[in-house]
Amino acid sequence: MTANEHKPVTSSMLERKDRIARLQEEMKKKQIHLFFVTQNVDIYYITGSMQTGYVVVPQVGEPIFLVKRSYERAVLESKIRVARMGSFRQLEDTVGSFFPELYSSEHTPTIATEYDVLPVQQFKRLQAVLPKAKWVDGSILFRELRMVKSPYEVARIRMAAIAAHRAFIEAVNYVRPGMMELELIAHIEHIFRMQGHVGIMRMRGYNQEIITGMVASGDAAAEPTYFDGPAGGRGLTPAAPQGASRKVISENEPILVDIGCCIDGYVIDQTRTLVIGKLDEDLERAYQVSEHILRETEKKLVPGTICESLYTDALRIAEEAGLSDHFMGYGEDQVKFLGHGIGMEIDEWPVLARGFKQELTPGMVIAIEPKFTFPGRGVVGIENTYLITKDGFERLTTAPEGIIAVKSRDR
């Protein structure tokens, strides 16, 4: 007997049921018998719980959440049936007990899992205890599954967008010359936390991490780093080389407020440019080009548009403006994209970059971030998050646009 079999049906359960059905449909097309879901975010996506274990999804029928820890909490949270995982060495027997028709001595199942995030050591352990299986990479299947958001998911991204709007307004009212970047981001983080921000932003990319965002000013904002984005920030230490630093904010330099928060598991991404005083004319012009790129991109945010084309069009506009060398970073540290999908992770699919031939589809949520980097001087730009609809798009980020000029004041 497994847990959760007699829970009343809720809208959240129906949401998971639809996700499972879509996953199983793709499994049928690719002749995958079982999908082992191993990563925390993917487990949450299927179950509504983020406890340690594996979700085993059959091509047909009901999946099972095999939980190592905490079983009791998984029983309370999971929207699918739950069972104790038991001994890892006996995992083959456990799986076989739930899916005897797929995992028996007469059958060699094809099992998919997320090669993009599963550590090699753990994968080899799974192979060792499930030796009869043929293992295949299911990461593309799962990432494509999560590209299209449901109304349930969009509602949570909207909540995060509302929080980002308020945090930006508070930042405008709080910033002053002479304060450290650290003080500004700490104030923003307080506003976020009081609105329900869980305190982390998740990324899927290997060795990629993100804090609350990249709030930095002047030359510190333009310092390159390992983070796969157009602006890195100096950070507090080489042990965390990104984002806000102890640099003092000065007048007449760009202040990049690139922030996001995570509410109920879903994130938003928003960038605005501030200045205390006035920007130099060339920086102001670069900002205007970034808005122009965004407006031109918006015209093509309709179902059927090829993701790659949005990036190449942006490159052309930057080149025509004479700003190619500064677009999305500088020199060898330029990043090769215009935007990215967003949801439970900050770096979801699709990516607006060369090689991404996906068509925009209703339900996709995409952050678009044209920015220009000037070494020794700063970064200017804008970023909005959009929902693709059947007729076009809806802008989810609602904070005021334009260069926000703040008057110098003492506190």
Side-chain angles (χ1 to χ4, degrees):
M1 185 71 162
T2 58
N4 294 27
E5 291 183 348
H6 302 295
K7 279 188 175 182
V9 176
T10 64
S11 59
S12 185
M13 285 182 175
L14 294 175
E15 175 80 14
R16 264 71 190 185
K17 185 177 180 180
D18 176 71
R19 295 174 186 180
I20 291 163
R22 291 188 291 118
L23 174 58
Q24 289 175 322
E25 186 62 31
E26 292 303 312
M27 289 169 63
K28 290 176 187 176
K29 294 177 184 178
K30 294 174 173 57
Q31 298 183 328
I32 296 168
H33 301 111
L34 294 172
F35 200 114
F36 258 65
V37 185
T38 67
Q39 189 230 25
N40 273 353
V41 172
D42 291 344
I43 288 173
Y44 180 79
Y45 182 78
I46 294 295
T47 71
S49 181
M50 199 178 281
Q51 300 305 306
T52 302
Y54 303 108
V55 179
V56 186
V57 182
Q59 190 183 100
V60 178
E62 190 178 1
I64 185 75
F65 187 10
L66 300 176
V67 178
K68 179 180 178 182
R69 184 174 186 268
S70 162
Y71 173 78
E72 296 300 330
R73 184 156 180 174
V75 168
L76 292 173
E77 297 173 341
S78 177
K79 306 305 184 292
I80 70 171
R81 60 178 177 160
V82 177
R84 296 184 190 277
M85 191 174 84
S87 169
F88 185 81
R89 291 189 297 273
Q90 300 300 316
L91 187 58
E92 184 175 48
D93 292 338
T94 303
V95 173
S97 70
F98 288 104
F99 308 107
E101 71 286 0
L102 292 177
Y103 209 96
S104 65
S105 58
E106 295 81 25
H107 193 275
T108 301
T110 297
I111 301 180
T113 192
E114 312 106 309
Y115 283 16
D116 62 330
V117 289
L118 182 62
V120 173
Q121 184 183 66
Q122 189 65 17
F123 177 57
K124 287 185 176 295
R125 291 187 69 205
L126 284 171
Q127 284 183 309
V129 296
L130 296 164
K132 291 184 292 187
K134 174 187 175 184
W135 290 87
V136 298
D137 185 7
S139 54
I140 291 176
L141 187 159
F142 216 97
R143 295 198 75 171
E144 289 182 343
L145 177 72
R146 285 177 45 195
M147 279 198 305
V148 176
K149 274 64 179 179
S150 68
Y152 171 93
E153 294 179 285
V154 173
R156 277 139 186 83
I157 297 172
R158 287 186 204 280
M159 292 169 60
I162 291 169
H165 185 138
R166 180 182 172 191
F168 177 71
I169 297 300
E170 292 282 350
V172 172
N173 293 332
Y174 188 76
V175 69
R176 68 184 188 277
M179 71 163 40
M180 291 187 297
E181 296 169 348
L182 177 61
E183 185 179 349
L184 181 57
I185 189 60
H187 183 71
I188 290 170
E189 287 174 345
H190 173 75
I191 301 302
F192 271 150
R193 289 291 270 172
M194 295 306 293
Q195 294 182 90
H197 173 43
V198 301
I200 58 174
M201 302 260 286
R202 293 188 170 97
M203 291 193 70
R204 196 176 187 93
Y206 178 67
N207 271 352
Q208 287 295 297
E209 300 168 313
I210 192 168
I211 314 173
T212 303
M214 212 292 289
V215 175
S217 62
D219 60 338
E223 286 191 17
T225 188
Y226 76 103
F227 179 70
D228 191 19
R234 184 174 297 162
L236 293 175
T237 165
Q242 62 168 290
S245 70
R246 290 184 173 84
K247 176 191 174 296
V248 171
I249 296 172
S250 300
E251 295 186 17
N252 305 320
E253 66 178 3
I255 307 166
L256 198 72
V257 183
D258 183 348
I259 54 176
C261 69
C262 179
I263 293 182
D264 201 15
Y266 287 85
V267 298
I268 194 72
D269 210 354
Q270 170 188 283
T271 301
R272 297 295 186 264
T273 300
L274 300 180
V275 61
I276 303 171
K278 184 174 175 57
L279 289 182
D280 291 342
E281 288 186 6
D282 61 333
L283 295 180
E284 187 168 335
R285 176 178 175 270
Y287 175 83
Q288 298 304 330
V289 174
S290 73
E291 275 207 8
H292 177 57
I293 290 172
L294 194 63
R295 299 286 92 88
E296 290 300 305
T297 302
E298 286 176 348
K299 294 176 183 177
K300 300 158 191 152
L301 291 184
V302 295
T305 298
I306 303 299
C307 291
E308 178 184 56
S309 69
L310 298 174
Y311 174 62
T312 55
D313 287 347
L315 288 176
R316 174 183 50 78
I317 295 173
E319 183 177 6
E320 290 172 352
L323 290 168
S324 291
D325 291 344
H326 301 271
F327 184 54
M328 301 301 282
Y330 185 80
E332 64 180 20
D333 293 306
Q334 286 180 303
V335 294
K336 308 300 183 184
F337 66 86
L338 174 66
H340 51 88
I342 198 164
M344 287 191 291
E345 293 164 317
I346 205 80
D347 54 344
E348 294 194 0
W349 284 5
V351 182
L352 306 186
R354 285 197 171 100
F356 278 81
K357 306 294 185 181
Q358 289 104 333
E359 294 183 357
L360 294 183
T361 302
M364 287 180 174
V365 178
I366 302 171
I368 302 174
E369 51 175 323
K371 295 168 183 168
F372 292 94
T373 298
F374 295 84
R377 302 178 67 199
V379 182
V380 296
I382 186 170
E383 180 177 21
N384 282 328
T385 298
Y386 299 88
L387 169 67
I388 304 301
T389 66
K390 63 182 180 63
D391 300 317
F393 70 88
E394 176 189 349
R395 180 161 63 90
L396 299 179
T397 38
T398 56
E401 296 184 353
I403 299 171
I404 308 300
V406 179
K407 292 182 179 180
S408 178
R409 55 188 180 272
D410 296 325
R411 287 182 182 264

